[in-house]
Amino acid sequence: MPIVTHVRAFIRCRWTHPLIVTLALAASVYSPEMAFGGDAPKRPNVIVVLADDMGYGDLACYGNPVIKSPNLDKFATQGMRFTQGYSASGVCSPSRSAILTGRTPYRNGVFNWIPENSEMHLRTSEVTIATLLRRLGYATCHVGKWHLNGYFNNAKQPQPNDHGYDWWLATQNNAAPSHKNPINFVRNGKEVGEIKGFSSQIIVDEAIQWLEKERDKSKPFLLSVWFHEPHLPIETDPKFQGNYPDLVKNDPDKAQHHGNITQADDAFGRLMRTLEKLNLVDDTIVIFTSDNGPEGNGVKGRPRGSTGGLRGRKRSVYEGGIRVPFMVRWPGRIPAGKTSDQPVVGTDIFATLCEITKTPVPKDRVIDSVSIVPAFSEKEIVRKNPMYFRCPIAPEEFKISMRQGDFTILANPELTKFEMYNLKADVKQTNDLVAKEPQKFEAMKKALQKLNAEIEAEGPAWWKGKEIAPKKKDAKKIDKLSRAEPSGERPALAGWCVFASNGHTSSRADDNYFFLPELCQSRPLPSERSKSGDGGSVGRCIIDRPLPSDARNGDGSRSTTPRFSILNGVVTRTAKLGSFLYS
């Protein structure tokens, strides 16, 4: 008998106290029968696949003429490919937090990449899509990189299971010592030890195992697959490097990078074929995107990703740092082979999944996410708040950008300097319109000031600087060392370093130092000491920690020095260094 009939019969009986009737109606609303059985529509399965440091131009279906990505290219023809897809930040952890919460990172508190032993984490006061769907009866699983806490697999901070995942296999940040034979995976709270193979394949192996054997098949599912590829430290199976024989011979680092994307593409293809094998394709929406733009300068070392010609790279709030591949497949709901030029952002995944699973969006907080479901039928996406991006470690002076319609405005943290571009006419951001369109600029500036103030007022206070600021005694010591002239008898902790404005670093010292561009705070030195040869400026670096044997230099080459360098007066205090190697 339908639930409504039960309730009507109950009301007709002589015991009809208003409280009892209310309780009966409430029970009917949350009945599992109503959610997953009876005449109610079946809720779809959900898979969200996230690449790490994959640039806008890193796939053949986004115009790359060299990289082979046959599985993702096929996927692009089966659903909708967005040409203006964005990550929520120019760096990893914030983008991930926004996907799960639907809230811009400075609201949810994960404003920057998270080193080990950092107090920054995704708090349990935030409501994730995994938590919401698990409450509705979904089976939930996360496999791959997590990077949403500083104390990973530690009761001090929430873990994936605290944010809605029943089953998880994850690392705090990157696969270590590299993508090959990683040793730092944790499964459901237990360290796994070394796993033979390459990271993306290992992650998909786990996803397939969960789909086939571990999940409750009576429930719909949410599966998050967050690859490490093509993030440093890159290590690629020779069989995937073999797709690029000329590069293997002439530019082996580039072969490593391109093969790394092909390696992840192959793993993605195995996952899609598993859905076919299990007869799940028609019942599953699959979303693919990336957490930010490509690492490095793109011309040397293993980070050789492409922005597709856009300005800026990883960490930047120019388009190249935040515009990424974004594709969605949902058979029967999204026509195959469609392309959309509507702007969408990773944050929007939250509201989109809420709509298609008929999950109420939380009303007790600001949700920046909007559903992109209208775009699936080529209707306009309605956005209440402009898209807001902020990255405190952006290499340029502009750390904030906001997109509204076809226009984007960039600003420094103090909101005293600005640039403005019409992305429809100038996607490469070469023509600053601040002086040319003063009325539009004033409107954009006021909108940014208002939105920025609201966001800053809501987020936790830890973003205001203490996260990376050195202690006073350390700052004084480092400042003294940084001002010392280099000589054969200089202090053991001092050295010279060079870093370019795009975040690429290289050594000017006798030793082969390792650098962290995200910690750079340049102090210009006399011109005779600032001939870096690559457009960079010379600063000082401080050698403060032993360097792990698997570390690489700023250009991706393997390091031979036994020390860990910290740039320009920023001290990191941690017992473990793995997460400090690459943001």
Side-chain angles (χ1 to χ4, degrees):
M1 182 184 296
I3 292 172
V4 173
T5 304
H6 280 300
V7 174
R8 286 172 178 165
F10 181 80
I11 292 174
R12 283 197 300 268
C13 77
R14 61 193 180 106
W15 190 17
T16 55
H17 190 283
L19 175 60
I20 303 299
V21 174
T22 300
L23 291 173
L25 288 170
S28 73
V29 170
Y30 292 99
S31 166
E33 179 185 346
M34 200 166 187
F36 299 110
D39 299 327
K42 184 178 181 181
R43 287 190 168 98
N45 305 310
V46 177
I47 298 180
V48 178
V49 182
L50 187 67
D52 198 350
D53 287 5
M54 180 180 284
Y56 182 76
D58 273 342
L59 298 174
C61 57
Y62 277 87
N64 194 292
V66 179
I67 291 177
K68 299 181 186 304
S69 50
N71 294 288
L72 284 161
D73 298 342
K74 178 181 178 181
F75 180 79
T77 68
Q78 296 171 334
M80 181 165 283
R81 182 176 67 88
F82 288 86
T83 61
Q84 298 193 74
Y86 290 87
S87 57
S89 173
V91 74
C92 45
S93 301
S95 294
R96 297 162 193 273
S97 71
I99 288 172
L100 290 186
T101 66
R103 285 157 54 81
T104 195
Y106 270 74
R107 286 195 205 275
N108 70 43
V110 183
F111 75 98
N112 202 349
W113 75 285
I114 304 179
E116 287 188 11
N117 301 334
S118 166
E119 71 171 295
M120 195 186 344
H121 63 278
L122 186 61
R123 301 163 296 164
T124 53
S125 58
E126 295 295 324
V127 179
T128 70
I129 190 63
T131 295
L132 291 176
L133 293 188
R134 184 163 70 176
R135 289 174 185 169
L136 278 181
Y138 271 68
T140 56
C141 174
H142 174 92
V143 290
K145 181 171 177 174
W146 180 241
H147 213 186
L148 289 171
N149 55 21
Y151 289 91
F152 181 65
N153 203 33
N154 187 317
K156 288 184 178 181
Q157 290 177 354
Q159 305 304 314
N161 52 286
D162 298 308
H163 283 300
Y165 290 102
D166 300 319
W167 185 280
W168 54 281
L169 176 75
T171 62
Q172 189 269 342
N173 185 357
N174 308 309
S178 71
H179 299 155
K180 183 180 179 180
N181 302 336
I183 62 173
N184 60 330
F185 273 101
V186 173
R187 179 185 289 114
N188 300 330
K190 295 182 180 180
E191 295 182 4
V192 177
E194 183 181 41
I195 305 178
K196 295 292 185 179
F198 292 82
S199 177
S200 59
Q201 304 291 338
I202 292 167
I203 288 167
V204 166
D205 285 345
E206 186 79 7
I208 292 173
Q209 170 77 6
W210 183 78
L211 285 170
E212 292 184 338
K213 299 180 179 180
E214 302 296 343
R215 69 184 172 97
D216 183 343
K217 294 182 177 62
S218 69
K219 299 179 177 181
F221 65 79
L222 166 67
L223 173 60
S224 298
V225 181
W226 290 4
F227 290 139
H228 295 101
E229 284 91 340
H231 194 294
L232 285 169
I234 291 171
E235 202 64 50
T236 303
D237 190 326
K239 73 178 182 180
F240 295 115
Q241 295 182 56
N243 285 283
Y244 311 94
D246 290 343
L247 293 179
V248 170
K249 180 180 179 180
N250 300 313
D251 194 345
D253 281 343
K254 196 170 187 178
Q256 280 275 357
H257 175 271
H258 288 7
N260 209 237
I261 291 180
T262 305
Q263 180 169 281
D265 175 84
D266 180 82
F268 178 84
R270 288 202 300 120
L271 180 61
M272 295 301 101
R273 288 190 291 276
T274 298
L275 294 183
E276 295 172 4
K277 173 186 170 183
L278 298 178
N279 231 8
L280 294 170
V281 173
D282 291 342
D283 299 328
T284 306
I285 181 171
V286 182
I287 301 172
F288 177 88
T289 189
S290 178
D291 66 343
N292 48 249
E295 176 66 274
N297 63 6
V299 298
K300 63 181 297 186
R302 291 192 179 179
R304 302 292 276 274
S306 170
T307 66
L310 301 174
R311 182 176 178 179
R313 298 179 70 82
K314 178 179 178 179
R315 305 178 186 86
S316 177
V317 294
Y318 285 98
E319 292 291 290
I322 52 178
R323 192 180 288 207
V324 293
F326 199 113
M327 297 181 282
V328 186
R329 185 185 76 182
W330 193 14
R333 282 80 168 183
I334 302 176
K338 291 291 184 178
T339 299
S340 174
D341 62 0
Q342 293 199 65
V344 297
V345 62
T347 318
D348 294 337
I349 292 173
F350 180 90
T352 303
L353 296 184
C354 284
E355 177 171 346
I356 68 172
T357 60
K358 303 191 185 314
T359 304
V361 174
K363 303 295 186 184
D364 62 341
R365 64 199 64 209
V366 175
I367 300 295
D368 299 285
S369 176
V370 299
S371 173
I372 66 171
V373 168
F376 300 163
S377 55
E378 301 183 273
K379 297 176 183 176
E380 184 180 359
I381 297 170
V382 179
R383 193 175 297 279
K384 184 174 68 172
N385 288 330
M387 294 194 298
Y388 174 93
F389 308 93
R390 184 166 179 172
C391 186
I393 55 176
E396 305 89 0
E397 67 174 324
F398 299 112
K399 317 293 184 186
I400 302 171
S401 68
M402 184 191 77
R403 174 156 184 177
Q404 192 169 41
D406 291 329
F407 285 80
T408 183
I409 185 171
L410 291 87
N412 63 355
E414 297 77 25
L415 302 187
T416 57
K417 294 183 179 180
F418 302 90
E419 289 179 355
M420 186 180 74
Y421 301 93
N422 181 337
L423 295 175
K424 188 173 184 178
D426 179 28
V427 71
K428 295 186 178 182
Q429 296 175 290
T430 60
N431 183 22
D432 180 11
L433 299 175
V434 166
K436 297 175 183 177
E437 297 194 29
Q439 289 185 325
K440 181 65 177 178
F441 166 63
E442 285 300 322
M444 291 285 287
K445 183 174 75 171
K446 287 180 180 179
L448 175 59
Q449 289 170 334
K450 180 177 182 293
L451 181 60
N452 189 70
E454 292 173 357
I455 291 171
E456 287 190 356
E458 185 176 353
W462 61 47
W463 68 268
K464 294 182 179 178
K466 67 177 181 178
E467 180 63 32
I468 60 172
K471 293 179 180 178
K472 288 184 178 180
K473 63 176 182 178
D474 293 327
K476 289 180 180 179
K477 173 184 176 183
I478 290 169
D479 187 66
K480 181 178 179 180
L481 286 172
S482 70
R483 294 177 185 277
E485 288 297 310
S487 70
E489 299 180 356
R490 67 182 184 268
L493 293 180
W496 291 98
C497 66
V498 175
F499 56 94
S501 60
N502 62 8
H504 169 67
T505 60
S506 58
S507 175
R508 285 295 300 269
D510 297 332
D511 296 321
N512 186 16
Y513 292 130
F514 177 91
F515 302 112
L516 288 177
E518 56 267 34
L519 298 182
C520 289
Q521 294 178 357
S522 174
R523 175 184 293 125
L525 294 173
S527 58
E528 64 269 18
R529 298 194 185 281
S530 60
K531 297 175 182 178
S532 67
D534 62 357
S537 57
V538 177
R540 300 306 304 265
C541 69
I542 305 301
I543 311 303
D544 188 67
R545 296 282 194 272
L547 184 67
S549 60
D550 62 288
R552 294 186 178 277
N553 298 298
D555 64 1
S557 60
R558 194 169 292 279
S559 177
T560 57
T561 183
R563 303 298 294 172
F564 176 70
S565 65
I566 299 175
L567 292 173
N568 296 310
V570 178
V571 174
T572 54
R573 294 173 293 281
T574 180
K576 298 180 181 180
L577 295 173
S579 67
F580 279 92
L581 297 182
Y582 317 99
S583 66

